[in-house]
Amino acid sequence: MSAPDEPTVADLSEDELLARIFPHLPRGSRTLVPPGDDAAVVRAPDGRVVVSTDVLVEGRHFRRDWSGGEDVGRRAAAQNLADVAAMGAVPTALVVALVAPGDLAASWVSGLARGLGAACAPLDVGVVGGDLSGGPAVVVAVTVHGDLGGRAPVLRSGARPGDVVAHAGVQGRSAAGLALLLAGRGDADPGLVEAYLRPDPPLLAGPVAADAGATAMLDVSDGLLRDAGRIARASGVVLDLDEPSSAFAGDLERLADAAGLLGADPREWVLTGGEDHGLLATFPPGTVLPAPFRAVGRVLPVGSGAAGVLVEGREPDARTTGWDHFAT
Amino acid sequence: MSAPDEPTVADLSEDELLARIFPHLPRGSRTLVPPGDDAAVVRAPDGRVVVSTDVLVEGRHFRRDWSGGEDVGRRAAAQNLADVAAMGAVPTALVVALVAPGDLAASWVSGLARGLGAACAPLDVGVVGGDLSGGPAVVVAVTVHGDLGGRAPVLRSGARPGDVVAHAGVQGRSAAGLALLLAGRGDADPGLVEAYLRPDPPLLAGPVAADAGATAMLDVSDGLLRDAGRIARASGVVLDLDEPSSAFAGDLERLADAAGLLGADPREWVLTGGEDHGLLATFPPGTVLPAPFRAVGRVLPVGSGAAGVLVEGREPDARTTGWDHFAT
């Protein structure tokens, strides 16, 4: 799994491996006790701490022939940081547990640290702790922390009829990048492949949305329809999305060439593609939407049907969206 | 890996699996937003949060033929909670990422949740988040949080010459239990086997030690000599431990039968056995040691040698302790 002249994890002592990791990890200005003791201590000025954990497993969430260590580090950080942003909080610190097979190149591990650092340092997020173990596959478990700065957390359950549905970030690009890789045509659009390997969510938009009065929010990790359905059910409402041709015109245009190449439907990527980690939020009627949010639908009361998602007033068609309306 | 009539992880949907997990998980009175949203929100009244993460991997840290899910849950919780206690903090919440092979019995997973709950509920620690994934081996990654309640965190680096070295908890029992299992003689002393499978650290003693003025502290996870060496090096001092026959007389007595059975040296278990997760701390001279701490040595200045550990003024003998003085 590594070049013959390159050391593997098994070739190094734990201290030698840590010496290749630590230089890449930002401390973060809120970190009071950095790694090296039994635990780290991080400022939580709000008096509440936002916490979320996500795990990436080789062969399930990434392939080592597609994703280098730095890609996985950036992705693990981004998807966790997006969970904090989606609560309306500012991320402050994360910790990482890494399980690595002995034949993993040590450079993959330092790449992972570099990727975590690249995602965290610009936000002043410290990487404040970790644990290393051997094991049969690469597993990266990240736990992220955030501070609400006095804001009320924005839950999934606060959407009310009349609210505007808004989205910040991109949709469908990660799915398109994955489709290109699966077809062996990653060369055709490296930008979309990068969107899959290294999602770049609009993290700062989370607290901005909270300040603007967002009533509900989440990050789109499993697809627009599916995640909109989660807000709808948690809030007991219907989210009626605009046709992607208007609401996501820019994404559709960006996806057109790749869709043409693969004979795919870009509308399906926009509606059902996950892992772009954009933010989907609802705002009270009349709210001047803060950038980069744009309106993509409206919240309706539950009528004769159940809480759920519509597109232009109609149930999404499984034939054209690939979406199972009944799955969660 | 499971009885033929018993469902495996692969037999259940994620929602069905979660339905077997959630009932066992305590919410914790400090939890403001429980699992189910993008992230949880937990009170951090001190304005600082203590954070540590630890990962357990099947085949490395536990064997499924020895440890049931509940054992692994209790152990994962205990070793993480001990890290928070060792900072002088009160644990408040933890999150868990679980990687599970498809053939893992669903009852193993609910057992894991039961074990986490059993360790956390009595301390009012909430299990506030998690993530589930498939993978080739069971991996349990826990991140724990704690609140300092106004105390200064007790680091490893604060021991000063003249301080008393003190210990709370048991030593050597986990190592003895593992030795019995390895010899196929777990039946001979189920109490020691349980000490290995389900360590029960003196978690409340951590904040008590901080209140009593502890100058340095850690939990003994890698053995008394090795972990005492960590305090010594971080503090730039020598920790001179008493002979186990006086300081750990109770532990030696408890281990005598198992040691006789296996032809092992109970003194070695006490000095080098890890994973009991007792607390090793230093206190200023004259401190009335708070229960259950007892004096086990003294802090000396670095003389002609280096910072490190002595036993009754002498370097520990690798022949009799199995301890590599030069390893970290």
Side-chain angles (χ1 to χ4, degrees):
Chain A
M1 294 294 180
S2 64
D5 56 346
E6 190 182 16
T8 65
V9 165
D11 292 332
L12 302 180
S13 71
E14 182 165 341
D15 280 350
E16 288 171 331
L17 195 56
L18 290 175
R20 291 169 182 238
I21 293 173
F22 274 120
H24 300 294
L25 302 181
R27 169 169 168 156
S29 68
R30 300 180 192 83
T31 304
L32 301 168
V33 176
D37 221 291
D38 289 71
V41 182
V42 180
R43 279 188 218 280
D46 174 81
R48 300 166 294 178
V49 63
V50 175
V51 186
S52 181
T53 195
D54 262 324
V55 64
L56 293 177
V57 181
E58 173 185 6
R60 301 265 169 168
H61 302 97
F62 64 90
R63 286 170 49 165
R64 266 202 266 162
D65 53 339
W66 290 346
S67 294
E70 185 167 348
D71 297 321
V72 174
R74 284 177 180 263
R75 186 163 158 204
Q79 73 180 41
N80 274 280
L81 295 167
D83 283 326
V84 162
M87 301 299 283
V90 172
T92 56
L94 54 78
V95 296
V96 188
L98 170 65
V99 177
D103 70 348
L104 185 68
S107 62
W108 198 98
V109 177
S110 53
L112 178 79
R114 203 163 53 240
L116 291 166
C120 290
L123 300 165
D124 190 25
V125 171
V127 181
V128 301
D131 195 17
L132 282 173
S133 173
V138 179
V139 175
V140 181
V142 170
T143 303
V144 67
H145 304 88
D147 191 82
L148 284 160
R151 297 174 200 93
V154 184
L155 307 184
R156 298 176 175 187
S157 54
R160 296 291 168 256
D163 283 356
V164 176
V165 181
H167 182 268
V170 300
Q171 247 323 108
R173 298 192 194 184
S174 176
L178 175 59
L180 285 169
L181 285 171
L182 285 167
R185 292 306 311 273
D187 59 299
D189 195 330
L192 292 180
V193 171
E194 175 154 339
Y196 166 70
L197 297 178
R198 301 181 173 195
D200 186 20
L203 300 168
L204 300 177
V208 167
D211 288 339
T215 52
M217 185 157 54
L218 50 58
D219 82 291
V220 182
S221 51
D222 293 334
L224 189 64
L225 293 178
R226 184 163 292 181
D227 284 317
R230 290 181 172 138
I231 289 180
R233 284 190 302 278
S235 302
V237 297
V238 170
L239 263 61
D240 183 25
L241 301 178
D242 301 333
E243 253 303 315
S245 58
S246 61
F248 293 92
D251 286 311
L252 287 171
E253 189 179 348
R254 178 68 186 79
L255 302 173
D257 288 350
L261 179 72
L262 301 179
D265 181 355
R267 183 174 177 274
E268 182 178 330
W269 284 337
V270 164
L271 287 174
T272 67
E275 304 204 328
D276 291 300
H277 300 291
L279 295 174
L280 185 70
T282 57
F283 293 90
T287 302
V288 177
L289 296 179
F293 282 94
R294 63 198 187 286
V296 300
R298 65 215 65 77
V299 179
L300 305 176
V302 171
S304 54
V309 183
L310 304 175
V311 178
E312 294 284 351
R314 306 227 292 246
E315 291 214 354
D317 181 350
R319 264 182 324 170
T320 59
T321 62
W323 185 59
D324 175 2
H325 191 73
F326 300 99
T328 57
Chain B
M1 293 294 181
S2 64
D5 56 345
E6 190 182 16
T8 66
V9 165
D11 292 333
L12 300 180
S13 72
E14 182 166 342
D15 280 351
E16 288 170 333
L17 195 56
L18 290 174
R20 291 169 182 239
I21 293 174
F22 274 119
H24 300 294
L25 302 180
R27 170 170 167 155
S29 68
R30 299 181 192 84
T31 304
L32 301 167
V33 176
D37 222 290
D38 288 72
V41 182
V42 181
R43 279 188 217 281
D46 174 81
R48 299 168 293 176
V49 62
V50 175
V51 187
S52 181
T53 196
D54 262 324
V55 63
L56 293 176
V57 180
E58 174 185 5
R60 302 264 169 169
H61 302 98
F62 63 90
R63 286 170 49 165
R64 266 201 267 161
D65 53 338
W66 289 348
S67 294
E70 185 166 350
D71 297 321
V72 173
R74 285 176 181 263
R75 186 163 158 204
Q79 72 180 43
N80 274 279
L81 295 166
D83 283 327
V84 163
M87 301 299 284
V90 172
T92 57
L94 54 78
V95 296
V96 188
L98 170 65
V99 178
D103 70 348
L104 185 68
S107 62
W108 198 98
V109 176
S110 52
L112 178 78
R114 204 164 51 241
L116 291 167
C120 290
L123 300 166
D124 189 27
V125 171
V127 181
V128 301
D131 195 17
L132 282 173
S133 173
V138 179
V139 176
V140 181
V142 170
T143 303
V144 68
H145 304 87
D147 192 82
L148 284 160
R151 298 173 199 92
V154 184
L155 308 184
R156 298 175 175 187
S157 52
R160 297 289 168 259
D163 283 355
V164 175
V165 180
H167 182 269
V170 300
Q171 250 319 110
R173 298 192 194 184
S174 176
L178 175 59
L180 286 169
L181 285 171
L182 285 167
R185 291 307 311 270
D187 59 299
D189 195 332
L192 292 181
V193 170
E194 175 154 338
Y196 165 69
L197 296 178
R198 301 180 174 196
D200 186 20
L203 300 169
L204 301 177
V208 167
D211 288 339
T215 52
M217 185 157 53
L218 50 58
D219 82 290
V220 181
S221 52
D222 293 333
L224 188 64
L225 293 178
R226 184 163 292 179
D227 285 317
R230 290 182 171 138
I231 289 180
R233 283 191 302 277
S235 302
V237 297
V238 169
L239 262 62
D240 183 23
L241 301 178
D242 300 332
E243 252 304 314
S245 57
S246 61
F248 294 92
D251 286 310
L252 287 171
E253 188 181 345
R254 178 68 186 82
L255 302 173
D257 287 351
L261 180 71
L262 300 179
D265 180 356
R267 184 174 177 274
E268 181 177 332
W269 284 337
V270 164
L271 287 175
T272 67
E275 304 203 329
D276 290 301
H277 300 291
L279 296 174
L280 186 69
T282 57
F283 293 89
T287 303
V288 176
L289 294 179
F293 282 93
R294 63 198 186 286
V296 300
R298 65 216 64 79
V299 180
L300 305 176
V302 171
S304 53
V309 183
L310 304 175
V311 178
E312 295 283 351
R314 306 228 292 246
E315 290 213 354
D317 180 351
R319 264 183 325 171
T320 59
T321 63
W323 185 59
D324 175 3
H325 191 74
F326 300 100
T328 57

